[in-house]
Amino acid sequence: MTMDHSKITELSAKHPKLNVSYTYGTAGFRTKADVLDSVIFRVGLLAVLRSKKHAGKVIGVMITASHNPAQDNGVKLVEPMGEMLAQSWEQYATELANASSDDALIAALQNVVEKEQIDLSNEAVVIVGRDTRPSGEALVAALTDGVQALGGKITDYGLTTTPQLHYLTRCLNTQGTPDAYGEPSEQGYYRKLAEAFKRIVSGKPKLSTIYVDAANGIGAPALHKLAKVLTDDLLSVQVVNDDTATPTKLNHQSGADFVKVNQKKPEGFDLKPGMRCASLDGDADRIVFWYADNAGTFKLLDGDKIATLAAEFIMGLVRKAKVPNINVGLVQTAYANGSATAYVKDTLKVPVVFTPTGVKHLHHAAEEFDVGAYFEANGHGTVLFSQQAIKAFHSTTGKTAEETEALEILKALTDLINQTVGDALSDLLMVEAILTSQGRSLADWDSAYSDLPSRLEKVKVQNRLNFEAIKADTELAKPEGLQQKINQQVAKFKHGRSFVRPSGTEDVVRVYAEADTQENADLLANIVCGLVYDQYGGVGERPAKFKKVDQQGNIIA
Ligand code: 16G
Ligand code: MG
């Protein structure tokens, strides 16, 4: 069987390539929505090939730009078991997106078919979901053309959160098998989570209301629906920032990214001591928690705090249930707070593995453990259970009431926690289930360890690809000399740590700094930003707060 070149050409003509160059990066393709039409069409073509490569298994496509502003959009491919696209295929995605003519496009497709030895007579099935961005619908139409140009079938699931689309993909591919993951529908997703949550919290006193900032995105309607299925007696949720009808409000002064980066509450909250709050991002795959302490000071519980809460709780259950040979591990990135890493290693005595930024890296590292918790500080993460662990939980019989209860909770957690990708709704219920079980407040959870003050900045540079991060993003191999200069500055600060890496989602380099006080963390960040801007190709207006450093490393302004 061969590809129908005339059909590809005919449909491709509806989606002309613009004079823009595209890269399938950490978060798939992500840029201004108005330059994405041809890219999404071509992703449709690639999704068909990926499905054929997997002998007709369903491939997921999610159209979202997460926490980016409303005018952006993007696309990510999802593998049959719900993971992110295999890294070896990212290059094909980039090649297809940049093919400058129909002939080049067909040649690029042919190249994938040959290199991957794809049997074109296989079926191809693609599903698509999108977030609430106004550009989403037209992009789904472009994707549909791409899928049909190669003879694939496509089902549009409409508005979904990113993790729901991952869930649906896995459910469809495992339906009717011993690995069946759940009912492949949005309601099936809510029912699965609600039922698992109930198994953990029933009979325990309900916590006070949790106020969830949904960033005016898809998480808002999803959470409203989940709350309905959960019923009031299990969890009291109030959804704030749920205006999805006003596109400009999406992620505006709200959402997990806003709260984490600015370390302050989002719009729409009259924050009082004792209130329990959380923020989702625009596609509901991140969550952070926050509250005001008795003095009214804003306090953030980020991905690191979620990871340590989960790891500690699950480890305790495994011990109580006396399930043998279960190793628990935690995966972090360079953005993990130094205190979090120390707490995990020294207090919890759980091994920590570091990977570069980006879920695909963390996810695979977590799969190496029986119970692998991975969280980025920004709130994206989940806990993975190996098949062996799940089997062990089911085949172990508790000898005491305590053992039996621990086993029941472990089993429920394997259903409650999304096994495909970090999921804000699932993580919300996981945290609430743990806190309910422990009868614990946010402040008490927070007291496990104190974060070192930190600062995250970004610098616009001529070419961020001149910056090459190594050692799980903790150091730079390029540009020449910069790492030594950073080291020289870091050495001057107590508990100092700083690293620079090129962003995978924005045309900037990111600068992270940590130190003993907020003032020092800010100062270190501004010194490193100044170094990058002044000596390594900064562009645009120079922020006044960036420090100037002479060749000896002394601050001169
Ligand atoms: C994307 C990644 C996230 C990462 C972030 C880094 C996924 C699903 N998301 O949002 O894991 O933390 O990019 O962004 O992989 P940056 O490269 O711009 O700093
Ligand atoms: Mg997101």
Side-chain angles (χ1 to χ4, degrees):
M1 204 176 150
T2 55
M3 295 185 286
D4 183 345
H5 292 191
S6 64
K7 195 164 174 194
I8 298 169
T9 315
E10 180 198 320
L11 286 168
S12 174
K14 285 170 68 184
H15 307 285
K17 156 100 169 53
L18 305 176
N19 188 18
V20 176
S21 114
Y22 304 96
T23 311
Y24 194 99
T26 333
F29 292 111
R30 190 181 293 181
T31 179
K32 297 279 165 276
D34 55 11
V35 300
L36 271 173
D37 180 68
S38 67
V39 176
I40 308 270
F41 169 76
R42 292 158 183 219
V43 164
L45 299 170
L46 189 69
V48 169
L49 294 185
R50 191 67 187 144
S51 175
K52 286 179 190 281
K53 170 79 184 177
H54 281 295
K57 286 226 155 47
V58 178
I59 292 295
V61 178
M62 182 66 201
I63 296 183
T64 178
S66 186
H67 55 279
N68 286 37
Q71 65 272 21
D72 290 4
N73 215 326
V75 66
K76 288 190 264 199
L77 285 162
V78 178
E79 293 280 354
M81 289 303 274
E83 310 101 314
M84 326 261 309
L85 178 67
Q87 278 178 64
S88 57
W89 275 57
E90 292 180 358
Q91 183 60 29
Y92 299 142
T94 300
E95 279 161 21
L96 288 188
N98 292 312
S100 55
S101 64
D102 284 346
D103 285 346
L105 178 59
I106 287 170
L109 289 168
Q110 206 66 55
N111 174 50
V112 181
V113 172
E114 274 159 28
K115 279 215 180 108
E116 297 291 331
Q117 304 195 335
I118 291 169
D119 181 352
L120 287 172
S121 64
N122 282 346
E123 281 205 359
V125 189
V126 176
I127 65 169
V128 55
R130 63 182 164 89
D131 69 16
T132 55
R133 279 157 220 274
S135 55
E137 221 173 320
L139 293 176
V140 169
L143 181 83
T144 305
D145 279 348
V147 171
Q148 291 175 347
L150 275 182
K153 282 194 212 110
I154 179 161
T155 306
D156 177 6
Y157 276 83
L159 295 172
T160 67
T161 69
T162 292
Q164 282 173 343
L165 198 272
H166 286 251
Y167 164 90
L168 290 166
T169 307
R170 180 150 169 173
C171 289
L172 289 166
N173 285 308
T174 53
Q175 225 174 350
T177 75
D179 299 325
Y181 192 62
E183 199 190 308
S185 68
E186 189 188 349
Q187 282 305 313
Y189 167 91
Y190 299 126
R191 279 196 289 268
K192 179 173 176 173
L193 292 190
E195 190 263 341
F197 182 72
K198 191 172 175 177
R199 277 153 60 201
I200 303 173
V201 303
S202 56
K204 293 166 189 147
K206 195 173 84 170
L207 300 173
S208 67
T209 299
I210 178 115
Y211 297 85
V212 183
D213 155 32
N216 299 305
I218 183 65
L223 190 51
H224 279 299
K225 290 182 214 168
L226 175 63
K228 229 185 216 156
V229 179
L230 267 173
T231 68
D232 237 16
D233 56 317
L234 292 180
L235 184 71
S236 158
V237 192
Q238 183 112 20
V239 190
V240 186
N241 294 331
D242 62 351
D243 181 0
T244 53
T246 315
T248 49
K249 285 195 177 173
L250 176 64
N251 296 318
H252 182 73
Q253 303 280 313
S254 64
D257 199 62
F258 172 85
V259 169
K260 168 78 182 157
V261 172
N262 297 291
Q263 314 248 342
K264 65 175 189 194
K265 76 177 174 74
E267 261 183 12
F269 282 79
D270 180 16
L271 182 59
K272 302 237 164 64
M275 257 169 84
R276 303 185 326 112
C277 308
S279 287
L280 318 180
D281 73 338
D283 63 339
D285 65 353
R286 289 191 196 178
I287 187 165
V288 293
F289 291 77
W290 44 276
Y291 68 100
D293 67 10
N294 289 335
T297 312
F298 171 88
K299 293 282 193 174
L300 179 70
L301 291 147
D302 64 2
D304 297 340
K305 291 271 181 180
I306 300 173
T308 48
L309 179 77
E312 183 170 19
F313 183 68
I314 296 172
M315 230 171 42
L317 290 172
V318 169
R319 249 184 239 134
K320 261 192 213 157
K322 304 216 171 70
V323 195
N325 305 325
I326 298 289
N327 63 35
V328 180
L330 211 138
V331 185
Q332 294 186 327
T333 73
Y335 290 110
N337 195 276
S339 293
T341 309
Y343 178 74
V344 176
K345 281 189 183 158
D346 306 339
T347 307
L348 298 185
K349 309 232 183 284
V350 167
V352 187
V353 171
F354 281 86
T355 72
T357 297
V359 173
K360 59 190 176 195
H361 301 294
L362 290 114
H363 191 93
H364 291 304
E367 284 174 332
E368 300 296 314
F369 298 100
D370 292 313
V371 180
Y374 74 83
F375 269 87
E376 293 188 291
N378 64 26
H380 187 114
T382 192
V383 182
L384 299 181
F385 297 93
S386 68
Q387 283 305 322
Q388 213 176 317
I390 295 176
K391 266 195 207 132
F393 299 158
H394 284 269
S395 62
T396 310
T397 358
K399 291 189 188 63
T400 62
E402 199 192 24
E403 282 176 36
T404 309
E405 197 203 351
L407 279 167
E408 289 310 312
I409 298 179
L410 282 170
K411 283 186 261 184
L413 284 173
T414 65
D415 288 329
L416 180 63
I417 304 174
N418 195 324
Q419 296 297 289
T420 64
V421 77
D423 179 339
L425 300 188
S426 160
D427 290 339
L428 169 68
L429 295 189
M430 173 185 80
V431 167
E432 291 294 278
I434 297 173
L435 295 178
T436 306
S437 294
Q438 302 179 328
R440 205 168 178 194
S441 67
L442 294 188
D444 191 49
W445 165 22
D446 199 14
S447 67
Y449 65 86
S450 307
D451 278 327
L452 277 171
S454 68
R455 181 61 63 200
L456 183 60
E457 290 286 351
K458 52 186 173 185
V459 186
K460 281 202 162 88
V461 292
Q462 255 154 30
N463 184 3
R464 74 186 201 275
L465 302 180
N466 291 339
F467 294 74
E468 187 194 334
I470 52 166
K471 301 194 182 163
D473 289 342
T474 54
E475 287 183 22
L476 285 171
K478 279 195 315 197
E480 191 85 31
L482 176 53
Q483 187 59 49
Q484 288 82 323
K485 291 180 186 166
I486 296 172
N487 295 347
Q488 185 187 25
Q489 297 300 332
V490 167
K492 297 178 189 167
F493 290 84
K494 191 169 174 207
H495 298 305
R497 189 166 72 89
S498 177
F499 63 90
V500 175
R501 58 174 277 278
S503 159
T505 63
E506 245 186 287
D507 193 12
V508 297
V509 297
R510 300 206 191 281
V511 172
Y512 178 90
E514 226 171 69
D516 56 343
T517 65
Q518 191 60 55
E519 231 182 352
N520 282 341
D522 292 355
L523 177 61
L524 180 56
N526 285 325
I527 293 173
V528 176
C529 285
L531 270 174
V532 172
Y533 186 96
D534 295 332
Q535 302 181 26
Y536 296 89
V539 293
E541 199 179 327
R542 187 184 189 284
K545 64 184 177 186
F546 289 4
K547 298 289 176 201
K548 271 203 165 64
V549 170
D550 68 14
Q551 283 306 324
Q552 281 68 49
N554 301 313
I555 301 172
I556 45 180

